[in-house]
């Protein structure tokens, strides 16, 4: 089996467990500067799938590609700590405010710069958007086949990959020729932990922008160890059309934003008695929740 070149699309997302009243801007975009961030959960599953393929096919190379503000470089470092070979950061203020259409366009421009590749992996969806559109849009723009909701890779052959899809009412076993894109379901194996040796090797990895505020010791270290400098691509580097990126390239418009706060007096505690269950069903029917 020949080695594969795999690209993992990963995103740094707001931690939805700590969303406050200032989480959104007036224009309907996420106020990322006010929120703590995490590695998008589904993307971690995609990363694990990529690394497991790397383990099984000697010589396979895994590159992690992320788009976001400067602090999203944490995603690249996390990838290094867990076993990826390379990381690319797409970052430019002009990319800000992108919806799925503008995001997929930007990622595709980055992927075209990375080509050729055999396999693109990404999470099923991001928790800050819940659309599951970016992966399929990338495949469509690249004009390559796609397999969505992947739970497991069943077999890899020289010219095709066979995968198991997790669907709402069962599973499917499907195959696709290379190159292809797969979005990975959250029911796939969890991502492996950081490896101590990789943390020690890459803990000082920085983008060029981050190095602008670095001290002399850090600059000297990067000069001696070029692999620590994370490639950072701007609009010009990926030759993107300004009209198709960021807020200006995003046809999605937010009509209104509403904060919904659940209070304790809206909660009811019911027993498992027939009377309580019957009362709950009647109430749900009256409010057209069911029925």
């Amino acid at each position: 089996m020949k080695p594969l070149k795999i690209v993992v699309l990963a995103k740094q997302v707001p931690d939805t467990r700590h969303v406050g009243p200032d989480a959104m801007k007036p224009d309907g975009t996420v106020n990322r500067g006010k929120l703590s961030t995490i590695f998008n959960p589904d993307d971690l599953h995609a990363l694990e799938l990529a690394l497991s393929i790397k383990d099984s096919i000697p010589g396979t190379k895994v590159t992690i590609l992320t788009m976001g503000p400067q602090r999203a470089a944490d995603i690249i470092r996390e990838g290094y700590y867990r076993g990826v070979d390379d990381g690319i950061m797409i970052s430019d203020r002009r990319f800000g405010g992108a919806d799925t259409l503008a995001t997929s366009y930007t990622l595709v421009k980055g992927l075209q710069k990375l080509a050729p590749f055999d396999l693109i992996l990404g999470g099923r969806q991001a928790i800050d958007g819940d659309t599951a559109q970016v992966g399929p849009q990338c495949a469509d723009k690249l004009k390559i086949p796609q397999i969505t909701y992947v739970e497991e890779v069943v077999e890899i052959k020289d010219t095709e990959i066979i995968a198991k899809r997790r669907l709402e009412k069962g599973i499917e076993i499907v195959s696709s020729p290379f190159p292809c894109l797969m979005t990975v379901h959250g029911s796939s194996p969890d991502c492996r932990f950081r490896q101590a040796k990789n943390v020690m090797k890459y803990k000082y990895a920085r983008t060029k922008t981050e190095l602008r505020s670095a001290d002399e010791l850090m600059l000297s270290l990067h000069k001696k160890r070029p692999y620590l400098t994370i490639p950072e691509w701007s609009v010009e580097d990926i030759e993107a059309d300004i009209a198709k990126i960021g807020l200006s390239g995003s046809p999605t418009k937010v009509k209104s934003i509403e904060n919904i706060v659940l209070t304790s007096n809206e909660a009811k505690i019911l027993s498992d008695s027939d009377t309580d269950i019957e009362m709950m069903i009647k109430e749900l029917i009256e409010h057209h929740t069911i029925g």
Side-chain angles (χ1 to χ4, degrees):
M1 179 68 206
K2 68 173 184 177
L4 299 179
K5 183 177 179 180
I6 303 174
V7 181
V8 178
L9 303 179
K11 185 180 182 183
Q12 187 183 61
V13 295
D15 188 346
T16 53
R17 296 169 297 182
H18 303 98
V19 174
D22 55 354
M24 302 295 291
K25 297 178 183 178
D27 63 2
T29 59
V30 178
N31 191 358
R32 299 184 186 275
K34 295 290 185 179
L35 299 170
S36 59
T37 56
I38 58 173
F39 202 120
N40 183 56
D42 278 3
D43 294 342
L44 276 173
H45 289 279
L47 178 58
E48 175 57 32
L49 184 57
L51 294 174
S52 66
I53 294 173
K54 178 184 174 182
D55 291 341
S56 63
I57 303 177
T60 291
K61 181 179 178 181
V62 177
T63 300
I64 188 167
L65 178 67
T66 190
M67 166 189 164
Q70 274 305 305
R71 62 176 177 168
D74 289 339
I75 294 295
I76 304 294
R77 286 184 279 271
E78 276 297 327
Y80 284 153
Y81 299 159
R82 296 170 193 256
V84 305
D85 301 285
D86 289 312
I88 306 291
M89 174 87 173
I90 299 179
S91 186
D92 193 311
R93 288 185 179 275
R94 290 168 289 180
F95 293 131
D99 67 0
T100 60
L101 190 69
T103 297
S104 62
Y105 169 78
T106 304
L107 290 174
V108 164
K109 296 299 289 185
L111 288 165
Q112 289 172 336
K113 187 177 175 71
L114 279 172
F117 44 78
D118 299 294
L119 185 62
I120 302 169
L121 296 174
R124 178 177 63 94
Q125 63 183 33
I127 60 173
D128 64 342
D130 207 33
T131 64
Q133 294 174 349
V134 171
Q137 286 179 0
C138 286
D140 183 66
K141 289 179 171 68
L142 290 167
K143 299 188 185 328
I144 61 174
Q146 60 180 292
I147 307 176
T148 55
Y149 301 94
V150 171
E151 184 176 65
E152 177 188 346
V153 170
V154 177
E155 186 179 0
I156 299 176
K157 301 180 181 180
D158 286 334
T159 59
E160 69 174 355
I161 186 168
I162 302 170
K164 180 173 78 173
R165 303 179 68 214
R166 171 60 58 181
L167 304 177
E168 185 177 351
K169 296 183 178 180
I171 61 172
E172 284 183 347
I173 305 297
V174 295
S175 65
S176 170
F178 292 117
C180 76
L181 181 147
M182 302 196 307
T183 63
V184 182
H185 198 278
S187 60
S188 66
D190 291 332
C191 193
R192 63 196 63 187
F193 294 112
R194 299 174 176 181
Q195 299 176 19
K197 64 177 182 179
N198 289 337
V199 173
M200 295 302 296
K201 181 178 180 180
Y202 291 108
K203 65 180 180 179
Y204 296 118
R206 298 290 187 273
T207 65
K208 289 183 178 179
T209 300
E210 289 176 315
L211 287 175
R212 291 173 187 168
S213 58
D215 57 25
E216 288 299 322
L217 183 61
M218 179 71 78
L219 294 174
S220 174
L221 188 63
H222 274 249
K223 189 174 182 179
K224 294 176 182 176
R225 305 174 185 176
Y227 65 84
L228 290 177
T229 304
I230 300 171
E232 185 177 356
W233 292 347
S234 66
V235 172
E236 288 73 26
D237 290 323
I238 61 174
E239 300 180 351
D241 184 343
I242 293 291
K244 296 181 179 180
I245 65 171
L247 200 58
S248 61
S250 303
T252 304
K253 304 301 177 186
V254 177
K255 183 178 180 181
S256 64
I257 304 170
E258 181 180 355
N259 285 324
I260 299 175
V261 179
L262 299 178
T263 59
S264 58
N265 60 5
E266 293 175 336
K268 292 183 179 181
I269 299 177
L270 303 175
S271 71
D272 59 357
S273 68
D274 290 344
T275 302
D276 279 2
I277 294 174
E278 183 179 356
M279 179 185 70
M280 178 185 68
I281 293 174
K282 286 182 178 179
E283 186 173 333
L284 291 173
I285 292 174
E286 288 175 0
H287 288 84
H288 303 289
T289 304
I290 62 174

